[in-house]
Amino acid sequence: MKTYTQFDAPAKIYGAPLFASTGTLDRLPPELRARLGPDMEHLGRRCPGARMALRTDSETFTVRMTLETLSPDVGVSIFGCQAISVYAGNKPNMRFLGLVNPPNYQTFTCERTFTKRAEMEDIMLWLPRNEVVASVSIDVEDGARVEAPTPYKYPVPIVYYGSSITEGGCPSRFANSYNAIICRRLDADYVNLGFSGRARGELEMADYINALEKSVFVMDYDHNTPTAEHLLNTHEPFFQRIRAHDPELPVVMISAPDIDYLKEGRERRDIVRRTWERARAAGDENVYFIDGETLFGDADREMCTVDACHPTDLGFYRMAGVIEPVLRKILEGGANKVEK
């Protein structure tokens, strides 16, 4: 067998904004984690949305992962928190093959062997949401051809900033989160900057986002502000910080989907809407608003959350169905660099 780790060409890492410069899968640099508070030391190092990919004709392959951290999550199983979701095929219609997950909370290394078609196909590993990943690798047959993965149609990432919902809580497996679904449907790369309980519109985070290459910015942090007043005091300044850096960047603002259960839900939605309305009134044609109340649809809304907050697979599926057409229209109407 031949082994390719996350560091070995032609394998490629997506969705980890620091990987090219630091070789880590961390989402935030240590100095920013320190400024934002102790919770971010762990949250900023785990890597929801990070993917490892390569292209091969190996009929069998083995995926191996070692975690640096491993702990239970009250709202999600090991399948949803600590597992790699494995896909194979040709983008954008790849097949889900299964999970690579620890058998318990004491075992930090796990592996599984998969079978795919004996032809050149992409393998895409969706890394775990909740943990710091120490290493990940793919073993292929000795005689297999191995190439770089097929480039995304839209290689300049969509960047999402928001809550635990944005981060991927709580579908049955991470690849069923709304932004992961959209990534596959659009064949578009993305970076997930969702932080459970800790996306509060800090201007330091806006400055970090400004430094990232992006095609679209999705601003989805309504949930994590402790009060509507906090959202009022941060939402427009956060947007203006982004807009001042890039006057032409498409910005999509989304209010919370579980409005039925939020005491200040409609007040919060109106705050987000007003930021959008003022931007439009000032002549900004690259700003969009999605009403969170529309994200779960009309029928069986109670089936769209696990706990009256975090979406189920159905909830995320419906969210993707509303958000994806907006992003598709933006991407199809704008320039996007060709991946080298």
Side-chain angles (χ1 to χ4, degrees), residues 67-332:
L67 298 173
E68 181 179 321
T69 62
L70 180 55
S71 57
D73 186 308
V74 68
V76 197
S77 74
I78 282 179
F79 289 171
C81 281
Q82 288 90 13
I84 291 177
S85 295
V86 180
Y87 284 72
N90 296 303
K91 295 190 291 186
N93 300 310
M94 301 183 76
R95 309 179 304 281
F96 173 63
L97 299 187
L99 301 175
V100 181
N101 58 273
N104 51 52
Y105 292 105
Q106 293 75 47
T107 304
F108 286 71
T109 296
C110 53
E111 65 177 58
R112 183 177 172 186
T113 299
F114 298 88
T115 300
K116 69 171 193 63
R117 296 167 185 158
E119 59 189 58
M120 291 300 290
E121 292 187 310
D122 286 291
I123 296 171
M124 182 74 74
L125 310 182
W126 293 77
L127 302 187
R129 168 188 176 237
N130 272 42
E131 307 301 342
V132 179
V133 177
S135 65
V136 59
S137 64
I138 302 173
D139 294 346
V140 300
E141 298 162 0
D142 284 330
R145 292 167 54 204
V146 179
E147 299 175 352
T150 304
Y152 279 104
K153 178 180 180 180
Y154 298 108
V156 179
I158 301 168
V159 173
Y160 297 81
Y161 172 64
S163 68
S164 55
I165 295 173
T166 313
E167 191 176 31
C170 301
S172 59
R173 62 177 189 267
F174 173 77
N176 287 353
S177 55
Y178 86 82
N179 36 34
I181 295 170
I182 291 171
C183 169
R184 294 194 297 277
R185 287 182 180 175
L186 292 179
D187 195 18
D189 196 6
Y190 81 107
V191 170
N192 185 330
L193 295 179
F195 301 97
S196 295
R198 280 309 315 266
R200 296 174 182 170
E202 302 94 339
L203 292 181
E204 297 96 330
M205 182 63 74
D207 292 337
Y208 176 65
I209 291 168
N210 280 336
L212 300 179
E213 185 181 32
K214 53 197 169 296
S215 58
V216 185
F217 176 52
V218 178
M219 193 169 160
D220 183 22
Y221 79 95
D222 176 348
H223 246 298
N224 281 170
T225 53
T227 63
E229 182 181 12
H230 183 105
L231 182 64
L232 176 65
N233 291 335
T234 61
H235 195 268
E236 189 162 11
F238 192 95
F239 164 69
Q240 292 295 346
R241 190 73 150 239
I242 298 292
R243 178 54 78 230
H245 181 266
D246 191 341
E248 301 301 322
L249 176 71
V251 177
V252 179
M253 302 175 186
I254 306 177
S255 59
D258 55 331
I259 192 170
D260 304 342
Y261 303 103
L262 293 175
K263 181 179 179 182
E264 299 176 322
R266 285 167 175 76
E267 182 181 359
R268 287 169 173 267
R269 177 186 59 190
D270 291 345
I271 290 167
V272 175
R273 189 201 301 271
R274 281 198 298 273
T275 301
W276 169 71
E277 289 174 340
R278 281 193 284 264
R280 294 289 296 177
D284 192 333
E285 297 182 353
N286 283 318
V287 62
Y288 306 80
F289 170 73
I290 297 176
D291 184 343
E293 190 168 15
T294 68
L295 294 176
F296 289 158
D298 296 324
D300 301 317
R301 288 176 64 87
E302 73 280 1
M303 295 175 63
C304 289
T305 74
V306 174
D307 55 357
C309 175
H310 298 91
T312 59
D313 290 45
L314 176 62
F316 275 124
Y317 181 82
R318 289 185 174 176
M319 288 180 70
V322 175
I323 299 168
E324 179 256 323
V326 176
L327 295 177
R328 183 182 295 275
K329 184 176 180 180
I330 293 169
L331 292 175
E332 288 179 349

Side-chain angles (χ1 to χ4, degrees), residues 2-6 8-11 52 54 136-140 144 146:
K2 296 184 293 188
T3 299
Y4 294 86
T5 73
Q6 71 263 40
D8 297 326
M52 177 180 173
L54 53 75
V136 59
S137 64
I138 302 173
D139 294 346
V140 300
V146 179

Side-chain angles (χ1 to χ4, degrees), residues 26 29-30 33-34 36-46 132:
D26 301 348
R33 300 198 303 264
L36 293 176
D39 291 349
M40 293 299 266
E41 183 55 37
H42 177 66
L43 291 173
R45 294 194 63 210
R46 63 193 198 181
V132 179

